[in-house]
Amino acid sequence: RRQGRAGKRKRGSLVSEGTRNDTPGGIDRTVCCWLALSFSAVVGFETVRAPGRVMGTMRLPRRHVLVVLGLMASLRGGFAAFVQLTGPKRSATTMRAAVCQRPASTSALNRVLQLRCRTPQNSVAGSRMQVLSPMNEFEGQDTLVMKPRRGAVSSSARFPSSSLAPAEHTQTTRESEAPELQVHMLQVQKLIGQGKLEAAEDVYSDLCTEFPESGKLWMKRFKLARSQKLYGNAREVLQQSLKHNPCNAILWQAWADLERSLGRVNVARNLYRKGLEANPWLPSLYNSWGSMERGIGRIEAARQLYQQGLTHNANSVRLLLSSGVLEDIDGHPELARSLFRRGLLVEPGNSFLLHALGMLEYKAGDVAGAREAFRAAVQADSDHTQSWLAWGQLEEANGNIAIARSLYADGCKACAGRGTVQLWQAWARLEEKNSDMRAALDVYRRAIVLFRQDSKLLVECAKMMAKVGDAAEASTLLRRALDIDAYNPYVYQILANIEISQHRYTEALRLFAAGVAMAEKGFSKSFGPEGGAGVGM
């Protein structure tokens, strides 16, 4: 009969084939009948033995309840295994039907909404929508929940990194459609880690031709050129990227920041303006432009930019911090303090705000308040090297040398190679001031292991080596620094001075000449021709 039923199921409909799963355990109706009969038999047996205990109260002794449960479990498992071995398998059609009957998941709904809400690529409004404030998608719930990201600044990340969040959100859909792009980008990162920068640039060039709308890809290519101080190439990369992404405000800001770092203030100002035309809600644009104006002494222009940004983003921690720093510079400490505290209400554990508040209190003469702010900053983010540095310098300035040394050591241990190298340099200089040159050199050597590519650190360590009379080791470190930064004339100067101290004047003259030649070569390589540096596309 079972074989006959199996044949009918194969020839029957999907409903007849799916009846095997009507019961919770995946057992058919025959197994359920056997379980019911078994339970009835045990209950009937107990009724014959003790009618009063069963009829009316339906209470069984504990041992009999255990017997019943064990019998049911064994029968269920045995018949389930038998049916699984002898019964027909579910077809692929049945499986597809079962899957189709399930409710759509939240992640699938997210993808549908992204496809529904996507605008044509040639639409200016659609391009602007791509660079709006990033959103977080919370899955695993009954409904789709869209919530803005918390705060403009992360307490554990580097402060400038938060400006890239909108760019990363912009490319989420694009890169999900092209997983091969992510594979290629991982390969490029390996090439960069191996020092094969020219090969990495070639791969980036091919990828940008294949995926010209990926703003994140263009940004990585731009950063590679900028890290090599190839500013002309970096400018050209951004010009090409904006031809394909004219409404990507992050790319406009990157170009403006580049021109600002090169002293081209008017060009940078025009580029910041174009970025705000693309996305007037981006806090990092107001922050970067305002910081440029503040740096050249245009305090009122910077204040207006910060205020304008806060009208669009009232809770932007980045803008509140920059605005507070501006007011502190302009001689309004109370207003600066209120802005810092306003930011801490938005993000209580923000180490940048706590560090700025501590510096403000220290300038006001409140050493205890500054110390408390620095302590709160490192408790909120143990990787925040600037807070460790400021706290150690505070104790050092107040004569607490042992406490300062302990803070420097604790900060270096907590950061473990992350953050800036200034913390290690401050610790080494503290030991040098206290005439412990061996301890200072030990700090430098430990720092060099962690910051292998920091040419300035190598130069500082070489200078101390020269002071203690180890000219050979100092020359070795300086040549390592030249391998990292071959166009730095300062390194050639120190090397030449060491040769002079060893009375090798011919070698010193050669190093001076080489330093001048490499400086000129580096300048022409970095800046390139001035033509094409404008904003015209």
Side-chain angles (χ1 to χ4, degrees):
R1 285 198 302 272
R2 182 172 298 279
Q3 291 178 354
R5 287 199 304 272
K8 291 180 181 179
R9 285 171 183 162
K10 291 181 180 179
R11 297 187 297 270
S13 62
L14 293 177
V15 177
S16 64
E17 196 169 341
T19 53
R20 184 177 305 275
N21 288 333
D22 290 344
T23 54
I27 322 170
D28 59 8
R29 294 189 181 91
T30 306
V31 179
C32 293
C33 293
W34 279 104
L35 292 176
L37 289 174
S38 302
F39 183 78
S40 300
V42 175
V43 173
F45 175 76
E46 289 298 325
T47 304
V48 172
R49 286 186 57 189
R53 286 187 297 171
V54 178
M55 303 303 294
T57 60
M58 289 298 294
R59 293 179 181 176
L60 296 176
R62 182 178 299 176
R63 64 180 183 276
H64 295 300
V65 172
L66 296 176
V67 170
V68 171
L69 294 177
L71 182 60
M72 290 177 64
S74 61
L75 287 173
R76 181 182 184 277
F79 277 102
F82 178 77
V83 170
Q84 185 72 20
L85 292 174
T86 60
K89 303 297 181 182
R90 299 183 67 186
S91 63
T93 307
T94 308
M95 295 296 291
R96 286 196 297 270
V99 171
C100 293
Q101 292 175 358
R102 295 177 182 175
S105 63
T106 307
S107 59
L109 182 57
N110 289 347
R111 290 192 292 271
V112 171
L113 288 177
Q114 289 176 356
L115 293 175
R116 293 280 187 183
C117 298
R118 191 182 305 168
T119 55
Q121 296 174 359
N122 57 356
S123 170
V124 176
S127 300
R128 289 188 179 183
M129 286 299 294
Q130 287 183 346
V131 292
L132 289 179
S133 178
M135 309 295 286
N136 283 337
E137 299 179 7
F138 294 85
E139 298 184 358
Q141 302 177 5
D142 295 334
T143 58
L144 179 67
V145 179
M146 301 294 287
K147 185 177 180 181
R149 290 187 187 270
R150 181 180 69 90
V153 181
S154 172
S155 61
S156 60
R158 291 181 59 196
F159 184 76
S161 64
S162 62
S163 64
L164 300 182
E168 294 170 355
H169 173 72
T170 300
Q171 302 303 327
T172 301
T173 306
R174 172 65 177 167
E175 291 179 3
S176 63
E177 296 174 355
E180 66 273 14
L181 174 60
Q182 300 179 4
V183 175
H184 288 305
M185 292 178 71
L186 290 176
Q187 294 175 352
V188 174
Q189 293 300 319
K190 291 181 180 179
L191 291 174
I192 295 175
Q194 297 171 359
K196 302 176 181 178
L197 302 182
E198 294 183 359
E201 167 58 26
D202 293 338
V203 177
Y204 271 145
S205 178
D206 295 338
L207 291 176
C208 287
T209 303
E210 186 177 357
F211 304 95
E213 297 173 0
S214 176
K216 187 175 182 179
L217 178 60
W218 286 104
M219 281 294 297
K220 287 184 175 294
R221 186 182 178 189
F222 158 73
K223 290 181 178 179
L224 177 63
R226 188 185 60 182
S227 65
Q228 302 176 74
K229 298 183 179 181
L230 303 176
Y231 302 121
N233 294 351
R235 183 186 293 115
E236 184 180 354
V237 167
L238 291 174
Q239 287 176 337
Q240 294 177 6
S241 68
L242 286 166
K243 290 179 181 178
H244 302 283
N245 305 272
C247 291
N248 192 321
I250 296 296
L251 295 175
W252 285 109
Q253 180 184 340
W255 190 1
D257 291 341
L258 174 65
E259 302 298 346
R260 169 192 170 187
S261 65
L262 300 177
R264 300 166 61 86
V265 177
N266 292 329
V267 176
R269 189 177 289 119
N270 194 14
L271 292 168
Y272 283 131
R273 188 175 293 110
K274 287 183 175 291
L276 288 178
E277 291 175 1
N279 184 4
W281 298 278
L282 190 61
S284 60
L285 267 170
Y286 295 98
N287 179 75
S288 189
W289 190 359
S291 299
M292 184 189 75
E293 302 292 354
R294 184 188 69 195
I296 61 178
R298 300 185 64 198
I299 300 297
E300 190 58 36
R303 181 181 287 113
Q304 291 178 4
L305 285 167
Y306 292 147
Q307 291 176 355
Q308 185 180 358
L310 286 170
T311 58
H312 293 290
N313 306 272
N315 292 329
S316 173
V317 179
R318 172 188 299 274
L319 290 174
L320 290 171
L321 174 61
S322 297
S323 185
V325 172
L326 176 71
E327 299 301 338
D328 180 29
I329 293 174
D330 201 30
H332 305 105
E334 292 300 327
L335 182 56
R337 186 178 290 106
S338 65
L339 288 167
F340 293 151
R341 295 194 182 280
R342 178 180 160 188
L344 288 171
L345 290 176
V346 178
E347 196 169 338
N350 190 288
S351 55
F352 297 95
L353 284 167
L354 290 168
H355 170 262
L357 183 60
M359 297 296 292
L360 181 67
E361 300 298 349
Y362 183 70
K363 287 174 61 178
D366 187 1
V367 176
R371 184 182 289 116
E372 188 63 29
F374 294 143
R375 180 181 289 108
V378 298
Q379 288 176 352
D381 183 6
S382 60
D383 286 350
H384 197 250
T385 54
Q386 293 298 327
S387 295
W388 286 108
L389 179 62
W391 192 3
Q393 289 175 341
L394 180 147
E395 300 297 347
E396 187 178 354
N398 285 271
N400 302 320
I401 304 300
I403 297 177
R405 180 184 291 109
S406 176
L407 288 171
Y408 291 145
D410 292 343
C412 292
K413 181 180 179 180
C415 298
R418 298 180 295 274
T420 63
V421 74
Q422 297 174 357
L423 186 61
W424 292 85
Q425 291 176 337
W427 185 9
R429 288 167 184 164
L430 174 67
E431 303 297 349
E432 184 181 2
K433 288 180 183 177
N434 288 272
S435 302
D436 194 346
M437 303 299 289
R438 180 176 297 179
L441 285 174
D442 181 64
V443 172
Y444 273 126
R445 289 193 181 100
R446 290 167 58 187
I448 288 172
V449 174
L450 298 173
F451 301 91
R452 296 180 180 274
Q453 298 300 315
D454 195 308
S455 60
K456 295 181 180 179
L457 179 64
L458 290 170
V459 170
E460 292 298 321
C461 185
K463 288 164 64 177
M464 183 165 290
M465 289 285 186
K467 286 182 180 179
V468 298
D470 195 347
E473 184 66 21
S475 299
T476 302
L477 292 175
L478 290 172
R479 295 187 187 280
R480 280 180 56 186
L482 285 177
D483 292 337
I484 300 171
D485 187 5
Y487 304 105
N488 190 343
Y490 183 59
V491 182
Y492 287 96
Q493 179 184 351
I494 300 175
L495 264 174
N497 290 332
I498 292 176
E499 296 298 330
I500 291 174
S501 66
Q502 301 296 316
H503 306 289
R504 293 193 286 263
Y505 303 108
T506 303
E507 180 65 16
L509 288 173
R510 188 192 68 80
L511 287 170
F512 279 131
V516 173
M518 293 302 291
E520 293 177 349
K521 183 178 179 181
F523 182 85
S524 60
K525 182 180 178 182
S526 298
F527 294 96
E530 290 298 324
V535 185
M537 299 293 297

